[in-house]
Amino acid sequence: MHQVDQTTEQMVRSVLAYAENRLRMDPVPLDKGSQEAGDLYRLLNGVIRDRGRAPDEVLGIYSSVIAPSIISADSPRFLGFIPAAPTKASLLFDMLISCASIQGISWLEASGAIAAENTVLRVIADEAGLPQSAGGCFVSGGSAGNLSALAVARETAKRRLKEQAAGRRLRVVVGTDAHSSIVNTLRLLEMDALVVDTPDHRLTAETVRTAIDADPDVSDVVAVICTSGTTNAGIVDDLAGVGALARERGWWFHVDGAYGGSGIFARSLRPKYNGLEQADSFILDPHKWLFTPFDCCALLYRDPQLARATHTQDASYLDVIHTSDGEWNPSDYAYHLTRRARGLPLWFSLAVYGLEAYRQAIEVAASLAIETAELIKAAPQLELIREPDLGVVLFRRIGWKPEDYDAWAQRLHQDEVAFIPPTKWEGETVGRFAFLHPDTRLELVREVLARTE
């Protein structure tokens, strides 16, 4: 430890200088990302050894070997998958949380941090139209949020059905475009999916009714899941209609808004989310469209006590965290125990910039998607596949085969113009823009589309 003490001052200076340089990048460069596995492992082999190395030497290995192999998801040229665009305020505060080893397990240990996180959850709940009783916690991502919420749905249904549920595998209604984590979650929870065919890729009350009317026995169905912004196409399901049907049937109504749920903050998009107020549980990922660092998912329940009855862990050493009046332990509302106070960077950023700045930043991506759709419709070699709901635009290049899309995307990335991998739509390879970064400009879109001529 004496050697560590001697190097601390230099290490702090070097790491903070590197961090400052990165934070000052405007715009963030795209970088080329993936390198040959053999080359990377060869370069990293032996870096960790019995005797330590100078911090600057190790930082040099990171900056010369590791960093260049990572595509910057926070670049305005990152147009694939779902991009990221954390604010400078959120990045800086994330560093503060790490430096102070702030955790967020229990009210006993971190009451101030948890109270601040809960004020952010309250803002989200209000935008969603959820009641004052709503609450929850921040988890690592959408998959963790879906798993935690659906575990509560299952346990709540089992308590309600009692002996009727004994020995039965419960079922959940899902659309064909539900996120892949939903299917995995149901398998882990030993539940089955009643998959509803959605010809327009949008789950509606009508399509759900058709599916359940055709099923001989739906007494084992206990929940339905809608998506507010599918990952592949950004489609918002019929929240109002499906939510009403869930109430009619006594089903748990879960809304997966991991990507698109943050659109509730944009005034032009808010009508698309009508019906969200009926949700029993709702998730959205601030590390996507609320401009927060990875990894952060907001998980909300209409009735948090149902979640607490499911997730509270019972252990003698944990008794002490369940004794205070007014306590709120995030460990009681999801499957986790140890957790970072991952909602604090969003709290700081929202307070610094204000909600209106966030609303406008989300509107930028939504407007860019509409403008891009118009450019595609005007290009003779291109076809727009569907009008965008949120920030995702799907298009077809007439005459191209899958290998043509791949070559086009690789050239764009190699030239560091944009990262825009193709996707599949109804079995066909197509082009896909995913807009999120408020600094992405229409001029870049024109450049990308010009490469299809």
Side-chain angles (χ1 to χ4, degrees), residues 7 30 37 62 76 114 147 156-157 160 179 185-186 202 237 248 264 299 321 323 354-355 410 422 440:
T7 61
L30 180 61
Y62 171 79
I114 292 166
L147 175 60
T156 301
R160 175 172 57 85
H179 191 265
T185 288
L186 295 179
R202 183 171 183 258
D237 287 339
E248 174 190 319
I264 57 177
L299 165 61
I321 74 172
T323 59
L355 280 171
Q410 289 171 13
T440 301

Side-chain angles (χ1 to χ4, degrees), residues 372-374 376-377 382-388 393-396:
T372 299
E374 293 304 313
I376 291 168
K377 286 188 283 188
L382 303 176
E383 288 181 351
L384 181 68
I385 289 174
R386 61 178 296 133
E387 294 291 340
V393 183
L394 299 178
F395 67 96
R396 177 182 296 108

